Amino acid sequence: MSRARRALGAVLAGVRTANPAFPAPPALATPTLAAATLATPVLAAAVLATALFATAVAPTAPAGAAVARTSLPAIESQVMCVTCKIPLIVAESAQADRERAYIQGLVEQGDSEAQVKRALVEQYGPRVLALPATHGFELAAYLVPIVVAALAVAMLALLLPRWRRRARAQALVAGGAAAPLSPADAARLEADRARFD
Amino acid sequence: MKRSLVPIVASLAGAAVVALLIFGVTHSAVSRTLDEAVQQGRRPPAPQATTLLPLLDGNGHSSLAAYRGKVVVLNFWASWCPPCRAEAPQLQRLQRQLQPLNATVLGVTYLDNAPDSLKFVRQYGLTYPNLRDADGEYGRAAYGTDQLPESFVIDRRGDIAKISRGEVTPEFLQLALKLARSS
């Protein structure tokens, strides 16, 4: 098993651990050389893309789970300073300070992370959230990179063997069309052949 | 995939990236067409006059169009903006002068949370109506707002007569009064 394959296996194992809903397909669990040439990278990319997408759109806590209290630093890293357009956690401005004070007030009254975020969206609009929404047009922020990566992998998987075949054929043609031997070389070649016959 | 498809797909992908960049650039820059028009002596119509915004006190929605027929001093402000604090008493004084002249100041809070805005209103005893532009899109898209405070004098026909980007000056306030008295 190559180092690259072991690395891919480790990544997929991590994805499987994080997402039990996406078990590895049998082909990946016991890879064969034939499957490894084309199917494995494409399949791996598809599994990775699906798993990442599922992680992105999955709710953060199962329904009915106990609602944990949150903190200002936990929220700060997930929301934006709406005037400076940078994450609140690194923002230094009068508006950022007011936003922090507003969050702190909600935290102190015992609101959960989801409740704080909802209140922030109500006060500042959806752009206050650092991560795009998982519905509507903003879903494209998650889908487009996955689709582009999958297309790139698929194109490479299709084109690389073709390019290699073409390069090999060109090398053969170039070898066949080599320059004719000089009379001296031809004579030496003939002498050698006669000696070995 | 046929060989001829590769350059087509690559070109389409390139065009999509360029289109995305153009979209991003054009949507991140604010427009100054209103300022240019006013500087040239024209009075452009106040944009998005019928757009409904929530009232700051939470009692429903209203729009600029609801004040058609009045001279309106449209003022974008936020409680976290120091120049807004400095001009608030001046605007309240102006409101007292405008009210008998069938004119009003109309505040619009910009990227400010409602509890802070309401506290500001109470602190400065503001009696003029205030709307909320929670995500800043109304001010930004319609009026090119990007530096608070910003004020616009709008005549009785709903056209913009004067623009102030930054704290209001005595001349700006006088012009608003003059317009209210003369029309």
Side-chain angles (χ1 to χ4, degrees), chain A residues 30-79:
Chain A
T30 53
T32 62
L33 194 58
T37 51
L38 180 68
T40 305
V42 176
L43 207 54
V47 171
L48 266 176
T50 315
L52 287 173
F53 175 69
T55 308
V57 299
T60 49
V67 177
R69 285 192 62 176
T70 187
S71 66
L72 176 62
I75 299 291
E76 268 186 312
S77 58
Q78 299 177 55
V79 298

Coordinates of all heavy atoms in Angstrom, one line a residue, chain A residues 30-79:
Chain A
T30 N -11.1 -2.7 1.1 CA -10.2 -3.7 0.6 C -9.8 -3.3 -0.9 O -10.3 -3.9 -1.8 CB -10.8 -5.1 0.6 OG1 -12.1 -5.0 -0.1 CG2 -11.0 -5.6 2.0
P31 N -9.0 -2.4 -1.0 CA -8.7 -1.9 -2.4 C -7.9 -2.9 -3.2 O -7.1 -3.6 -2.7 CB -7.9 -0.6 -2.1 CG -7.3 -0.8 -0.8 CD -8.2 -1.7 0.0
T32 N -8.3 -2.9 -4.5 CA -7.5 -3.7 -5.4 C -6.8 -2.8 -6.3 O -7.1 -1.6 -6.4 CB -8.4 -4.6 -6.2 OG1 -9.3 -3.8 -7.0 CG2 -9.3 -5.5 -5.4
L33 N -5.8 -3.3 -7.0 CA -5.0 -2.5 -7.9 C -5.8 -1.9 -9.0 O -5.7 -0.8 -9.4 CB -3.8 -3.3 -8.5 CG -2.7 -2.5 -9.2 CD1 -2.1 -1.5 -8.2 CD2 -1.7 -3.5 -9.7
A34 N -6.8 -2.7 -9.5 CA -7.6 -2.3 -10.6 C -8.5 -1.1 -10.2 O -8.6 -0.1 -10.9 CB -8.5 -3.4 -11.1
A35 N -9.1 -1.3 -9.0 CA -10.0 -0.2 -8.5 C -9.2 1.0 -8.2 O -9.7 2.1 -8.3 CB -10.7 -0.7 -7.3
A36 N -7.9 0.8 -7.8 CA -7.1 2.0 -7.4 C -6.8 2.9 -8.5 O -6.7 4.1 -8.3 CB -5.8 1.5 -6.8
T37 N -6.8 2.5 -9.8 CA -6.3 3.3 -10.9 C -7.3 4.5 -11.1 O -6.8 5.6 -11.3 CB -6.2 2.5 -12.2 OG1 -7.4 1.8 -12.3 CG2 -5.0 1.6 -12.1
L38 N -8.6 4.2 -11.1 CA -9.5 5.3 -11.5 C -10.6 5.5 -10.5 O -10.9 6.6 -10.0 CB -10.1 5.0 -12.9 CG -11.1 6.0 -13.4 CD1 -10.3 7.3 -13.7 CD2 -11.8 5.5 -14.7
A39 N -11.2 4.4 -10.1 CA -12.4 4.5 -9.3 C -12.1 5.1 -7.9 O -12.9 5.9 -7.4 CB -13.1 3.1 -9.1
T40 N -11.0 4.7 -7.3 CA -10.8 5.0 -5.9 C -10.7 6.6 -5.7 O -11.4 7.1 -4.8 CB -9.5 4.3 -5.4 OG1 -9.7 3.0 -5.6 CG2 -9.3 4.6 -3.9
P41 N -9.9 7.3 -6.5 CA -9.8 8.7 -6.3 C -11.1 9.4 -6.4 O -11.5 10.3 -5.7 CB -8.8 9.2 -7.3 CG -8.1 8.0 -7.8 CD -9.0 6.9 -7.6
V42 N -11.9 9.0 -7.5 CA -13.2 9.6 -7.7 C -14.1 9.3 -6.6 O -14.8 10.2 -6.1 CB -13.7 9.2 -9.1 CG1 -15.1 9.7 -9.3 CG2 -12.8 9.5 -10.2
L43 N -14.2 8.0 -6.2 CA -15.1 7.6 -5.2 C -14.7 8.3 -3.9 O -15.5 8.8 -3.1 CB -15.0 6.1 -5.0 CG -16.2 5.4 -4.5 CD1 -17.4 5.8 -5.3 CD2 -16.0 3.9 -4.5
A44 N -13.4 8.4 -3.6 CA -12.9 9.0 -2.4 C -13.3 10.4 -2.3 O -13.8 10.9 -1.3 CB -11.4 8.8 -2.3
A45 N -13.1 11.1 -3.5 CA -13.5 12.5 -3.5 C -15.0 12.7 -3.3 O -15.5 13.6 -2.5 CB -13.1 13.1 -4.8
A46 N -15.8 11.8 -3.9 CA -17.3 11.9 -3.7 C -17.7 11.7 -2.3 O -18.5 12.4 -1.7 CB -17.9 10.8 -4.6
V47 N -17.0 10.6 -1.6 CA -17.3 10.3 -0.2 C -16.9 11.5 0.7 O -17.7 12.0 1.5 CB -16.6 9.1 0.3 CG1 -16.8 8.9 1.8 CG2 -17.2 7.8 -0.5
L48 N -15.7 12.0 0.4 CA -15.3 13.2 1.2 C -16.2 14.4 1.0 O -16.6 15.0 2.0 CB -13.9 13.6 0.7 CG -12.7 13.0 1.5 CD1 -11.4 13.4 0.9 CD2 -12.8 13.4 3.0
A49 N -16.6 14.7 -0.2 CA -17.4 15.8 -0.5 C -18.8 15.6 0.1 O -19.3 16.6 0.8 CB -17.6 15.9 -2.0
T50 N -19.3 14.4 0.0 CA -20.6 14.2 0.7 C -20.6 14.4 2.2 O -21.4 15.0 2.8 CB -21.1 12.8 0.3 OG1 -20.9 12.6 -1.0 CG2 -22.6 12.6 0.7
A51 N -19.5 13.8 2.7 CA -19.3 13.9 4.2 C -19.2 15.3 4.7 O -19.8 15.7 5.6 CB -18.1 13.0 4.6
L52 N -18.3 16.1 3.9 CA -18.1 17.5 4.3 C -19.4 18.3 4.2 O -19.7 19.1 5.1 CB -17.1 18.1 3.4 CG -15.6 17.7 3.7 CD1 -14.7 18.2 2.6 CD2 -15.2 18.2 5.1
F53 N -20.2 18.0 3.1 CA -21.5 18.7 2.9 C -22.4 18.3 4.1 O -23.0 19.2 4.7 CB -22.1 18.3 1.6 CG -23.4 18.9 1.4 CD1 -23.6 20.2 1.2 CD2 -24.6 18.1 1.4 CE1 -24.8 20.8 1.0 CE2 -25.8 18.6 1.2 CZ -25.9 20.0 1.0
A54 N -22.4 17.1 4.4 CA -23.4 16.6 5.5 C -23.0 17.3 6.8 O -23.8 17.7 7.6 CB -23.3 15.1 5.6
T55 N -21.7 17.4 7.0 CA -21.2 18.0 8.3 C -21.6 19.5 8.3 O -22.0 20.0 9.3 CB -19.7 17.9 8.4 OG1 -19.3 16.6 8.2 CG2 -19.2 18.4 9.7
A56 N -21.5 20.1 7.1 CA -21.8 21.6 7.0 C -23.3 21.9 7.2 O -23.6 22.8 7.9 CB -21.4 22.1 5.7
V57 N -24.1 21.0 6.7 CA -25.6 21.3 6.8 C -26.3 20.6 7.9 O -27.4 20.9 8.2 CB -26.3 20.9 5.5 CG1 -25.8 21.7 4.3 CG2 -26.2 19.4 5.2
A58 N -25.6 19.7 8.6 CA -26.2 19.0 9.8 C -26.5 20.0 10.9 O -25.7 20.9 11.2 CB -25.3 17.9 10.2
P59 N -27.6 19.8 11.6 CA -27.8 20.6 12.8 C -26.7 20.4 13.8 O -26.2 19.3 13.9 CB -29.2 20.2 13.3 CG -29.5 18.9 12.6 CD -28.6 18.8 11.4
T60 N -26.4 21.4 14.6 CA -25.3 21.3 15.6 C -25.6 20.4 16.7 O -24.7 19.8 17.3 CB -24.9 22.7 16.1 OG1 -26.1 23.3 16.5 CG2 -24.2 23.5 15.0
A61 N -26.9 20.3 17.1 CA -27.2 19.4 18.2 C -28.5 18.7 17.9 O -29.4 19.2 17.2 CB -27.4 20.2 19.5
P62 N -28.6 17.4 18.3 CA -29.8 16.7 18.0 C -31.0 17.3 18.7 O -30.9 17.8 19.8 CB -29.5 15.2 18.4 CG -28.4 15.4 19.4 CD -27.6 16.6 19.0
A63 N -32.2 17.1 18.1 CA -33.4 17.7 18.7 C -33.6 17.0 20.1 O -33.4 15.8 20.2 CB -34.6 17.4 17.8
G64 N -34.0 17.8 21.0 CA -34.3 17.3 22.3 C -33.1 17.2 23.2 O -33.2 16.9 24.4
A65 N -31.9 17.5 22.7 CA -30.7 17.4 23.5 C -30.7 18.6 24.5 O -31.3 19.6 24.2 CB -29.4 17.5 22.6
A66 N -30.0 18.4 25.6 CA -30.0 19.5 26.6 C -29.3 20.7 26.0 O -28.3 20.6 25.3 CB -29.2 19.0 27.8
V67 N -29.8 21.9 26.2 CA -29.3 23.1 25.6 C -28.2 23.7 26.6 O -28.4 24.0 27.7 CB -30.4 24.2 25.5 CG1 -29.8 25.5 24.9 CG2 -31.4 23.7 24.5
A68 N -27.0 23.7 26.1 CA -25.8 24.1 26.9 C -25.7 25.6 26.8 O -26.0 26.2 25.8 CB -24.6 23.5 26.4
R69 N -25.3 26.2 27.9 CA -25.0 27.6 28.0 C -23.8 27.9 27.1 O -22.9 27.1 27.0 CB -24.8 28.1 29.4 CG -26.1 28.1 30.2 CD -26.0 28.9 31.5 NE -25.6 30.2 31.2 CZ -25.4 31.1 32.2 NH1 -25.6 30.8 33.5 NH2 -25.1 32.4 32.0
T70 N -23.8 29.1 26.6 CA -22.7 29.5 25.8 C -21.9 30.6 26.4 O -22.1 31.0 27.6 CB -23.2 29.9 24.4 OG1 -22.1 30.1 23.5 CG2 -24.0 31.1 24.4
S71 N -20.9 31.1 25.7 CA -20.0 32.2 26.2 C -19.7 33.2 25.2 O -19.9 32.9 24.0 CB -18.7 31.6 26.8 OG -18.0 31.1 25.7
L72 N -19.3 34.3 25.6 CA -18.9 35.4 24.6 C -17.8 34.9 23.6 O -18.0 35.1 22.4 CB -18.5 36.7 25.4 CG -18.1 37.8 24.5 CD1 -19.1 38.3 23.5 CD2 -17.6 39.0 25.3
P73 N -16.7 34.4 24.1 CA -15.7 33.9 23.1 C -16.2 32.9 22.1 O -15.8 32.9 21.0 CB -14.6 33.3 24.0 CG -14.8 33.9 25.4 CD -16.3 34.1 25.5
A74 N -17.1 32.0 22.6 CA -17.6 31.0 21.7 C -18.4 31.6 20.6 O -18.4 31.2 19.4 CB -18.5 30.0 22.5
I75 N -19.2 32.6 20.9 CA -20.0 33.3 19.9 C -19.2 34.2 19.0 O -19.4 34.3 17.8 CB -21.2 34.1 20.6 CG1 -22.1 33.2 21.4 CG2 -22.0 34.9 19.6 CD1 -22.9 32.3 20.6
E76 N -18.2 34.9 19.7 CA -17.4 35.9 18.9 C -16.7 35.3 17.7 O -16.5 35.9 16.7 CB -16.3 36.4 19.9 CG -16.6 37.7 20.6 CD -15.4 38.2 21.4 OE1 -14.8 37.4 22.0 OE2 -15.1 39.4 21.3
S77 N -16.3 34.0 17.9 CA -15.6 33.4 16.8 C -16.5 32.9 15.6 O -16.1 32.5 14.6 CB -14.9 32.2 17.3 OG -15.8 31.2 17.9
Q78 N -17.8 33.0 15.9 CA -18.8 32.6 14.8 C -19.6 33.7 14.2 O -20.5 33.4 13.4 CB -19.8 31.6 15.5 CG -19.1 30.4 16.0 CD -20.1 29.5 16.7 OE1 -21.1 29.1 16.1 NE2 -19.9 29.2 18.0
V79 N -19.4 34.9 14.6 CA -20.1 36.0 14.1 C -19.2 37.1 13.6 O -18.0 37.2 13.9 CB -21.1 36.6 15.1 CG1 -22.1 35.6 15.5 CG2 -20.4 37.2 16.3

